[in-house]
Structures are given as structure tokens and as C-alpha cells.
Amino acid sequence: QPEHLMALKFKVDEDLPHEFGAQLRSAGHDAMTVVEQSLSGAPDSKIWQIVQKEKRCLLTADKGFADIRLLSSGQHDGVILFRLPRESRQGYLRLLESLLTRPILESIAGAIMIVSPDSIRVRRQSDKE
């Protein structure tokens, strides 16, 4: 793990490749997947409650979690939304790989980060849209 990056706690949603958990752990982070916790098929609201309780940043491809109004308290550990023009396991894994090399992750708390092949955008409750 690069010295400048601190270890973070992540929860990987079931719509992302199962390799995300291992990739995050090998980068030195604490990662759990929805599948590992036998939460497959659980409603978003239940997943969100658990993520909140465990104080983890949620990684997902589910746009429902990117609704700033749902997360409006800003009192959460962050959401990272992965967006691809065409869904593919390799595409998601490449996005994660490029994200893991950036120190931007350290400012994720309370924010929604949208990661796509050509950009990384960070939205906060304080941002006026």
C-alpha cells in the first residue's frame, strides 16, 4: 500500500464484480461485500442502514444510491458510484484500479463520488446544483 494512502473501510454492493473485495483488501483496505454478508437481494434501505452502522464507504453501480436527497444528511462515510457506458466486469475492475492509485479517496466521507472511464466527480451536500 502506498504510504500516502490511508486504509479505508468499504462495502461492495452485489452489482459489482466479486473481485472488488479482494482488490480492495490487497490495496490495504478493510473491505466486505454484500454477498459475503449474505445480504444479496436485500433492499437498498437495509444495505444503507448496515453501511451506516459499520461506518463504511459504499461502492456500487446502483444509481439509486447516488441520489443526493437520500443521502442529504451528509453524515455518512461516502458512496462511490461506478458508471460504464456498457457494463463489463473488466471495465469495472479497471475503474477500481485507476481509483485506487489516487489520494482522492481520503476525502470521500460525506460525499458521493461518480467514477466513469473519463472522469471522477465528487458531489457533496454543500454543493448547490
Side-chain angles (χ1 to χ4, degrees):
Q1 174 180 356
E3 311 244 319
H4 64 280
L5 294 178
M6 57 185 204
L8 298 168
K9 292 173 69 175
F10 293 107
K11 170 81 72 209
V12 180
D13 203 358
E14 66 186 314
D15 56 5
L16 290 171
H18 66 92
E19 294 95 332
F20 265 48
Q23 210 168 335
L24 287 161
R25 287 188 283 267
S26 70
H29 297 290
D30 173 346
M32 304 245 359
T33 70
V34 164
V35 175
E36 286 166 349
Q37 287 189 292
S38 306
L39 292 166
S40 299
D44 287 357
S45 56
K46 169 135 199 233
I47 303 278
W48 185 241
Q49 276 177 340
I50 291 167
V51 166
Q52 294 274 71
K53 199 172 82 196
E54 295 177 353
K55 298 199 175 308
R56 291 181 183 274
C57 170
L58 178 69
L59 278 64
T60 185
D62 180 345
K63 291 194 298 264
F65 281 115
D67 187 332
I68 198 98
R69 290 172 305 248
L70 278 179
L71 311 174
S72 60
S73 69
Q75 302 299 307
H76 58 83
D77 288 273
V79 173
I80 301 177
L81 176 69
F82 290 86
R83 302 297 313 271
L84 285 175
R86 282 197 323 277
E87 284 194 28
S88 86
R89 218 177 103 256
Q90 286 308 12
Y92 282 129
L93 291 168
R94 275 196 299 275
L95 284 182
L96 178 62
E97 213 165 285
S98 72
L99 184 64
L100 285 174
T101 62
R102 298 161 183 255
I104 190 169
L105 281 177
E106 298 183 12
S107 58
I108 187 64
I112 299 170
M113 187 180 289
I114 299 151
V115 180
S116 65
D118 32 63
S119 74
I120 293 179
R121 298 194 317 272
V122 178
R123 291 168 50 198
R124 298 189 174 282
Q125 178 53 19
S126 54
D127 298 347
K128 300 284 178 265
E129 299 229 339

